[in-house]
Amino acid sequence: QVQLVESGGGLVQAGGSLRLSCTASGRTFSTYTMGWFRQAPGKEREFVAAISWSGGNTYYADSVKGRFTISRDNANVAVYLQMNSLKPEDTAIYYCARGRWKYPTIESDYWGQGTQVTVSS
């Protein structure tokens, strides 16, 4: 059983930064693409960012390109999302996911429980 646990969410003013972390259990972490999704109130869950198993390839939604950076540390079984220049429209629950990259998103088999990010104007 794989467990993904997110942390790092919170309340921040527009223009500020947050760093989300996701730690995973299971020895197969390093062979999977990892990523982040988000879901705002009343909206469907949407893809945010993904990183290949080696970290050599990253993918971003157009809405976060240039502001968010995804990274991973396979030794510590963790994936991160550095979020800069945050906007009120970034407010959502952010979910960590494990899966396979299939353009333009991840086909995920495991999800975390989510962490709330709120950006005030």
Side-chain angles (χ1 to χ4, degrees), residues 25-85:
S25 64
R27 292 177 289 179
T28 59
F29 173 85
S30 62
T31 63
Y32 283 86
T33 292
M34 297 297 297
W36 293 90
F37 289 73
R38 67 186 181 186
Q39 187 167 18
K43 295 188 177 181
E44 293 186 354
R45 188 176 297 188
E46 65 175 359
F47 168 75
V48 175
I51 186 166
S52 62
W53 68 271
S54 67
N57 293 299
T58 56
Y59 313 90
Y60 296 95
D62 288 343
S63 59
V64 306
K65 279 181 183 176
R67 301 188 298 121
F68 291 11
T69 303
I70 189 170
S71 61
R72 68 189 295 165
D73 181 347
N74 287 341
N76 289 306
V77 202
V79 62
Y80 307 100
L81 186 68
Q82 178 67 43
M83 305 186 295
N84 298 328
S85 302

